[in-house]
Amino acid sequence: MATDFEALADRLREHGHKLTQPRRAILQVLLAASKPLSPAEIQARGQVFCADLGLVTVYRTLEVMEALDVVRPVHLADGCHGYALSSPGHTHHVVCERCHAVVEIVGCDLGDFLDRVAQRTGYAITGHWLEISGLCADCQRADKAV
Amino acid sequence: MATDFEALADRLREHGHKLTQPRRAILQVLLAASKPLSPAEIQARGQVFCADLGLVTVYRTLEVMEALDVVRPVHLADGCHGYALSSPGHTHHVVCERCHAVVEIVGCDLGDFLDRVAQRTGYAITGHWLEISGLCADCQRADKAV
DNA sequence: ATGAGTGCAAACCGTTTGCAATCGG
DNA sequence: CCGATTGCAAACGGTTTGCACTCAT
């Protein structure tokens, strides 16, 4: 994993922010997450590390971390507004509908597609977000077994 | 413009929905819009055609129209949840970061990419969500002009 | 005529803000 | 120690729901 806890913690310290228990917890959660999380999800998971982590703190911390490019907001198809670590480089993931297992797709091969889009629309493409859902190998087997 | 008022109105009637003043107004607004509109914006513009158009009605009408594939929700970078008319079939949007103009990409060419993903991960791909952001031709010109 | 559709008011839920207490450097 | 940070409670804004009235068919 290219981004470890200390590197992110340093990023906060460098910018004069304190490294408090709630913030440690939130970082832990985001490091462990395999998909973008809503503030409420971050709070729930964070309470494992910091029992009385408040939702307000999650919002304020995300705000700080977003300004520092530690996290980035992700727009999901359903409820919108999830947060994921903004890892350098660029990856997409495939999420299993059944068991929610996640695989990262390293090396984003979307370039050709985006080039075509740029040509066809006249837009200068600056960013994209892709989320793929499917059934993982295990759940496909489980399906057949029934 | 391929989609005119009557074609969309028919789509409602075909499915047993009534064509009321508020719904006419909302269709007019969406046909005239050059970018996705929030429910509140749709209400404001719609009151030109239907003076006492209520916000609640906008929400409920959008719900109906979304089910009929007349409109499509668009996830914007800022507040999220705008609505635009949807052309038939599966489409993605490119949204201009600056002025929020939207272009639909007809004919989704992502098949090859998804095939590769399926092979590499062993997942059976069932769906995907793609959001592309960029600068539209106008805003690119505006940039250079500065 | 009659049920779908409407507007209003109130409930609801995620997010933001004000403030006193607390914690980290 | 001192200010940044926190949690709580309350405010806030967008969305949804309950209900009685109205309109399109």
Side-chain angles (χ1 to χ4, degrees):
Chain A
M1 186 72 69
T3 51
D4 71 334
F5 185 90
E6 279 310 319
L8 297 174
D10 282 343
R11 191 110 52 105
L12 285 177
R13 284 189 279 250
E14 281 168 20
H15 289 261
H17 293 285
K18 293 182 180 176
L19 194 61
T20 62
Q21 286 306 325
R23 288 180 180 170
R24 284 175 206 274
I26 292 169
L27 274 184
Q28 303 261 35
V29 167
L30 289 170
L31 278 165
S34 53
K35 65 182 182 76
L37 301 176
S38 68
E41 286 170 325
I42 293 171
Q43 180 196 24
R45 299 190 186 193
Q47 290 179 333
V48 174
F49 306 105
C50 177
D52 54 356
L53 173 64
L55 188 52
V56 179
T57 301
V58 174
Y59 278 102
R60 287 195 275 227
T61 300
L62 288 173
E63 195 180 339
V64 169
M65 290 183 176
E66 189 181 339
L68 266 51
D69 263 328
V70 172
V71 300
R72 71 165 187 283
V74 168
H75 297 259
L76 303 169
D78 52 330
C80 253
H81 290 317
Y83 286 82
L85 286 178
S86 54
S87 45
H90 190 103
T91 64
H92 302 301
H93 37 253
V94 190
V95 185
C96 179
E97 293 181 337
R98 186 80 38 93
C99 69
H100 300 117
V102 170
V103 177
E104 284 206 350
I105 306 167
V106 288
C108 166
D109 234 355
L110 225 47
D112 292 349
F113 176 76
L114 294 176
D115 286 346
R116 278 197 298 275
V117 169
Q119 287 198 348
R120 214 180 298 175
T121 61
Y123 275 52
I125 307 299
T126 56
H128 63 275
W129 169 257
L130 174 64
E131 184 185 276
I132 306 173
S133 58
L135 280 177
C136 72
D138 285 348
C139 288
Q140 288 176 57
R141 266 196 294 280
D143 258 13
K144 284 181 191 168
V146 178
Chain B
M1 187 69 70
T3 52
D4 72 333
F5 185 90
E6 278 310 318
L8 297 174
D10 281 344
R11 191 111 50 105
L12 285 177
R13 285 189 278 250
E14 281 167 22
H15 289 261
H17 293 285
K18 294 180 179 175
L19 194 60
T20 61
Q21 286 306 326
R23 287 181 181 172
R24 283 175 207 274
I26 291 169
L27 274 184
Q28 303 261 35
V29 168
L30 289 171
L31 278 165
S34 55
K35 66 183 181 77
L37 301 176
S38 68
E41 286 170 325
I42 293 171
Q43 180 197 24
R45 300 190 185 193
Q47 290 178 334
V48 174
F49 306 105
C50 177
D52 54 355
L53 173 63
L55 188 52
V56 178
T57 300
V58 174
Y59 278 102
R60 287 195 274 227
T61 300
L62 288 173
E63 194 180 342
V64 169
M65 291 185 175
E66 188 182 340
L68 265 49
D69 264 329
V70 173
V71 300
R72 174 179 294 275
V74 170
H75 297 258
L76 304 169
D78 51 330
C80 252
H81 291 316
Y83 286 83
L85 287 177
S86 62
S87 32
H90 182 105
T91 64
H92 301 301
H93 291 95
V94 190
V95 184
C96 178
E97 294 180 335
R98 186 80 39 94
C99 69
H100 300 123
V102 170
V103 177
E104 287 200 351
I105 307 169
V106 289
C108 165
D109 233 357
L110 225 48
D112 292 348
F113 175 76
L114 293 175
D115 286 346
R116 279 197 297 276
V117 169
Q119 286 197 349
R120 215 182 297 176
T121 61
Y123 275 54
I125 307 300
T126 57
H128 63 275
W129 168 264
L130 175 63
E131 182 186 282
I132 306 174
S133 57
L135 279 179
C136 73
D138 285 347
C139 289
Q140 289 175 56
R141 266 196 294 280
D143 258 12
K144 284 181 191 166
V146 176

